[in-house]
Amino acid sequence: MSHLVVGGAGFLGSHLVERLLLDGQSVVVVDDLSTGRLANLATARESGGTLQIHQHRVGDDGTAELVAKVAPEVVTYLGGCSPAADTASMAALPGVLSLLESVAEAGAKRVVVTLDAGALYEPSPDRRRLTEAEAAEPIVSGIGERAVLDALAAYRRDRAVEFVALALSGVYGPRMPPAAGTGLIDQILDGAAAGTSFELQAGEVAHDLVFVDDVVDALIRAGERGSGLLVNVGSGQAATAEQVAWAATGLGVAVTSTVSGRESARRLVLDVNRARIHLGWQPFTELGEGLRSTLAWRSRSAPTE
């Protein structure tokens, strides 16, 4: 099967490309390299699989020609989950529309799009998990995400472009860029490197953190299963900053909250039952295991003096 991965040189994209190549798939990466790095694809390029890389911004001149030439069966668009992307704006929408039009003309079977759950959902003031139905609630930060969902639904209805949209919670793992998400993982990794107890500046009481390999597994499944759905992808579990730090390091921490009052009790934890039902997916990496893997990567990647 042939895949086109938009944003394939980024944190999540490079892991997806590696997995697709290991599965024997043909992969074309399209990335403007504004946040992605070719170095992220070093392992993928050594795999011996069929891989092409195009430096191109989706929506610019030549997008339709590129998609038509590649003629992919599955297109994965990762622009909606980049920590450096302005997902609270409508800036990404023209590129998404251009891609959808190009996909419709090329006859691709399916589009998989990732969205930032932190922008799509209003954090819950109680202890319940957030379901996909709550994405319909209008909030300013989610205008761009809802516009993308509307565009996907319209192209499915009018142009027969099948889609699955994945709302991602806090994705972490090797190659994650600095200050991804809330920056909690960066603080913990830096503190762990020091090997002593440390202090955290934590803006939320509860975090839903999901390991990058688990997300890649969901993306692979979404390329084959599900139909016209928004699907949550997260751990489905709430973890405090103290719990995350302990899972990663076994060290005690002092947490200084950056919010107060009613806000401090809010949390954004996803209900992942739809993913279980429609994708046959569930998270499989235990938090401590994933964090230790990320810490080991950070140690290997640290510059030497």
Side-chain angles (χ1 to χ4, degrees):
M1 186 178 291
S2 59
H3 292 257
L4 188 151
V5 181
V6 179
F11 158 50
L12 176 56
S14 61
H15 285 275
L16 173 61
V17 170
E18 285 180 20
R19 168 70 184 274
L20 288 170
L21 291 172
L22 286 173
D23 289 347
Q25 308 298 313
S26 172
V27 183
V28 175
V29 168
V30 176
D31 200 305
D32 64 6
L33 301 182
S34 59
T35 57
R37 300 170 61 243
L38 289 177
N40 287 336
L41 292 169
T43 301
R45 296 171 81 174
E46 295 170 357
S47 69
T50 304
L51 172 64
Q52 299 179 37
I53 303 171
H54 295 269
Q55 185 175 352
H56 177 80
R57 182 186 299 274
V58 168
D60 287 355
D61 292 342
T63 296
E65 291 79 2
L66 176 57
V67 175
K69 181 179 180 180
V70 173
E73 295 173 82
V74 179
V75 176
T76 303
Y77 179 82
L78 302 174
C81 68
S82 169
D86 183 8
T87 55
S89 75
M90 300 288 285
L93 186 59
V96 172
L97 292 173
S98 174
L99 180 65
L100 286 172
E101 186 63 27
S102 301
V103 165
E105 292 293 332
K109 291 170 54 178
R110 177 176 294 259
V111 174
V112 180
V113 175
T114 57
L115 300 173
D116 178 12
L120 193 60
Y121 296 110
E122 186 75 51
S124 171
D126 52 32
R127 297 188 61 81
R128 62 186 172 80
R129 295 179 177 88
L130 298 167
T131 67
E132 290 84 355
E134 293 173 80
E137 294 294 327
I139 55 175
V140 171
S141 65
I143 289 175
E145 278 71 15
R146 284 194 301 279
V148 170
L149 288 172
D150 287 344
L152 291 168
Y155 270 85
R156 180 174 186 255
R157 182 192 63 216
D158 298 341
R159 304 295 300 277
V161 176
E162 196 55 82
F163 80 88
V164 177
L166 303 184
L168 307 185
S169 63
V171 185
Y172 72 96
R175 299 188 207 125
M176 62 185 297
T182 63
L184 174 67
I185 301 298
D186 288 292
Q187 292 186 67
I188 289 172
L189 295 180
D190 290 342
T196 59
S197 295
F198 53 96
E199 182 175 335
L200 288 175
Q201 300 289 327
E204 296 179 64
V205 166
H207 304 264
D208 185 340
L209 300 174
V210 59
F211 191 58
V212 64
D213 287 354
D214 297 21
V215 178
V216 166
D217 189 58
L219 286 165
I220 297 291
R221 292 170 183 268
E224 302 173 351
R225 303 179 63 172
S227 179
L229 294 172
L230 171 67
V231 180
N232 287 340
V233 172
S235 70
Q237 302 295 322
T240 65
E242 294 97 329
Q243 290 169 334
V244 176
W246 179 261
T249 69
L251 298 173
V253 298
V255 176
T256 301
S257 179
T258 58
V259 295
S260 60
R262 192 165 65 93
E263 278 192 323
S264 66
R266 303 171 85 191
R267 70 183 207 164
L268 197 154
V269 180
L270 302 182
D271 184 310
V272 297
N273 282 327
R274 181 176 286 184
R276 291 190 176 97
I277 294 168
H278 292 278
L279 302 183
W281 176 89
Q282 61 183 6
F284 54 84
T285 304
E286 186 268 330
L287 181 61
E289 177 189 351
L291 289 168
R292 288 189 292 272
S293 174
T294 308
L295 179 59
W297 162 79
R298 172 72 70 88
S299 298
R300 293 192 302 269
S301 303
T304 56
E305 294 183 0

